[in-house]
């Protein structure tokens, strides 16, 4: 009968393997930590790029809204009595279905005859546009448009007008379209100054 005595002496191969495992453990832990850090950095970079892309997209949409408001006001306030159909078509390209119907009705019944009668022509320059986002998703905006226009007639009369308009735009099928228009006021810059009060002069002479 053969027996193997337990001498209590450590097995050299077993101790060496255990020692190697102990040395590898910090390396494994460090490698896992670095991997987690790298994954976090990649995720942060993806989120950062996503936020940047969204901000860039919003700025692009707002820039397009400003261009649409500018183009609309230029089309609305620039006209030639000899070709009013072209002016109406230019306006309608910027309009939603509802605003197109409202504008066509108002232009046909109220404005066209007066322009033709006066044989009027108008040239407009948009000076400033201030944009306000009306809802959280940025699909509706309002623009305050400051415009200067020169209106003249074949009879020789001219007027330089300053106007402020509020234009509401909605984004439909990737385009900004005008859905509402409000005049905030205008003034004739070419109007002569009021004459001095003659009664006041008379009193001062007396």
């Amino acid at each position: 009968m053969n027996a193997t005595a337990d001498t209590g002496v450590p097995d050299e191969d077993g101790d060496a393997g255990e020692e190697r495992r102990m040395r590898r453990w910090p390396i494994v832990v460090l490698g896992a930590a670095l991997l987690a850090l790298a994954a976090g950095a990649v995720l942060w970079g993806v989120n950062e790029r996503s936020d940047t892309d969204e901000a860039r997209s919003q700025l692009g949409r707002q820039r397009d809204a400003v261009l649409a408001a500018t183009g609309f006001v230029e089309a609305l306030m620039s006209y030639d009595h000899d070709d009013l159909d072209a002016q109406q078509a230019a306006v309608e390209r910027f309009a939603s279905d509802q605003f197109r119907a409202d504008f066509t009705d108002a232009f046909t019944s109220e404005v066209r005859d007066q322009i033709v009668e006066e044989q009027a022509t108008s040239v407009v320059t948009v000076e400033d546009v201030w944009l306000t986002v009306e809802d959280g998703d940025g699909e509706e905006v309002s623009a305050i448009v400051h415009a200067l226009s020169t209106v003249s007639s074949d009879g020789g009369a001219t007027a330089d007008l300053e106007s402020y308009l509020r234009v509401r735009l909605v984004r439909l099928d990737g385009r900004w379209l005008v859905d509402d228009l409000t005049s905030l006021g205008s003034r004739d810059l070419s109007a002569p100054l009021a004459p001095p009060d003659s009664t006041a002069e008379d009193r001062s002479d007396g």
Side-chain angles (χ1 to χ4, degrees), residues 132-195:
T132 301
V133 178
E134 294 189 349
D135 62 0
D137 58 9
E139 298 300 305
E140 294 184 9
V141 299
S142 283
I144 305 298
V145 182
H146 173 211
L148 300 177
S149 57
T150 299
V151 181
S152 58
S153 70
D154 283 358
T158 62
D160 295 321
L161 304 177
E162 180 181 47
S163 303
Y164 288 88
L165 304 99
R166 177 183 287 116
V167 181
R168 190 167 75 88
L169 302 106
V170 295
R171 192 166 178 84
L172 299 172
D173 299 326
R175 294 182 58 215
W176 287 109
L177 298 175
V178 175
D179 198 49
D180 191 33
L181 172 67
T182 303
S183 174
L184 301 179
S186 63
R187 61 172 178 158
D188 187 350
L189 300 178
S190 57
L193 295 175

Side-chain angles (χ1 to χ4, degrees), residues 43-58:
L43 182 60
W44 178 84
V46 170
N47 290 335
E48 188 72 12
R49 284 196 298 272
S50 177
D51 292 343
T52 301
D53 291 344
E54 177 62 23
R56 185 180 296 115
S57 177
Q58 289 179 357

Side-chain angles (χ1 to χ4, degrees), residues 8-115:
V9 179
D11 181 72
E12 293 182 359
D13 291 339
D15 288 348
E18 183 66 23
E19 185 177 351
R20 285 194 295 272
R21 284 193 295 274
M22 292 296 293
R23 285 199 301 266
R24 284 200 303 270
W25 178 250
I27 298 175
V28 171
V29 173
L30 179 61
L34 290 175
L35 182 62
L37 182 62
V42 170
L43 182 60
W44 178 84
V46 170
N47 290 335
E48 188 72 12
R49 284 196 298 272
S50 177
D51 292 343
T52 301
D53 291 344
E54 177 62 23
R56 185 180 296 115
S57 177
Q58 289 179 357
L59 288 175
R61 289 198 299 269
Q62 292 174 9
R63 181 178 60 249
D64 291 344
V66 169
L67 292 175
T70 300
F72 166 74
V73 170
E74 289 176 344
L76 178 71
M77 300 182 68
S78 297
Y79 52 83
D80 187 330
H81 65 91
D82 282 332
D83 194 5
L84 293 178
D85 289 339
Q87 186 247 4
Q88 184 171 349
V91 171
E92 291 178 353
R93 283 198 295 269
F94 292 97
S96 67
D97 291 342
Q98 182 59 54
F99 185 81
R100 184 181 298 112
D102 293 341
F103 172 78
T104 300
D105 180 63
F107 185 81
T108 301
S109 62
E110 298 176 10
V111 180
R112 180 185 288 265
D113 291 343
Q114 183 178 355
I115 292 175

